[in-house]
């Protein structure tokens, strides 16, 4: 069962912007509202890393490499999570995954590819 669906990736020049979206169409609304959400990414040949994520009390943490450039947000009514990415760099290239801590599990989407050309 697919719980999370990402979209919005693509090819962009360095310095450009993208907005990633993640929807949870089948998640019960009350579960979604309570679930800490996060964005991860995996660059070629590297391990998956946290980009931006919520703590259990709603504090948003960003990777040092994206602070000041990326913004995490969510719209509970729409069951959506977003990642606004500005001033993109070639090192931001990778597959971006949405993550939810819900139903006692760590749920993942299928990922969306972001490629930044220099």
């Amino acid at each position: 069962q697919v719980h999370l669906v990402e979209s919005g990736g693509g090819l962009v020049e360095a310095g450009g912007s993208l907005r990633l979206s993640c929807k949870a169409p089948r998640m019960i609304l009350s579960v979604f509202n309570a679930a800490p959400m996060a964005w991860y990414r995996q660059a070629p040949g590297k391990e998956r890393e946290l980009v931006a994520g919520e703590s259990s009390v709603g504090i948003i943490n960003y990777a040092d490499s994206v602070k000041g450039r990326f913004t995490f947000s969510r719209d509970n009514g729409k069951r959506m999570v977003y990642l606004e990415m500005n001033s993109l760099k070639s090192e931001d290239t990778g597959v971006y995954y949405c993550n939810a801590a819900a139903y006692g599990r760590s749920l993942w989407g299928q990922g969306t590819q972001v490629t930044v050309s220099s």
Side-chain angles (χ1 to χ4, degrees), residues 10-11 17 36-38 47 54 57 64 77 82 91-92 94 96 100 109:
L11 174 64
S17 299
M37 304 292 293
E47 294 186 354
E54 296 177 305
V57 294
D64 289 342
Y82 305 98
E91 50 263 45
D92 294 319
Y96 284 69

Side-chain angles (χ1 to χ4, degrees), residues 32-53:
F32 179 85
N33 290 348
M37 304 292 293
W39 287 96
Y40 286 75
R41 69 184 178 192
Q42 187 164 18
K46 295 187 177 181
E47 294 186 354
R48 193 172 297 189
E49 64 173 354
L50 176 69
V51 176

Side-chain angles (χ1 to χ4, degrees), residues 36-93:
M37 304 292 293
W39 287 96
Y40 286 75
R41 69 184 178 192
Q42 187 164 18
K46 295 187 177 181
E47 294 186 354
R48 193 172 297 189
E49 64 173 354
L50 176 69
V51 176
E54 296 177 305
S55 69
S56 58
V57 294
I59 296 173
I60 300 171
N61 298 301
Y62 294 93
D64 289 342
S65 60
V66 307
K67 285 180 180 176
R69 300 188 297 122
F70 289 13
T71 303
F72 174 101
S73 63
R74 65 188 293 166
D75 184 333
N76 286 343
K78 296 181 179 179
R79 295 184 181 87
M80 296 287 293
V81 176
Y82 305 98
L83 185 67
E84 186 75 36
M85 306 187 296
N86 298 314
S87 302
L88 283 163
K89 305 175 181 179
S90 57
E91 50 263 45
D92 294 319
T93 293

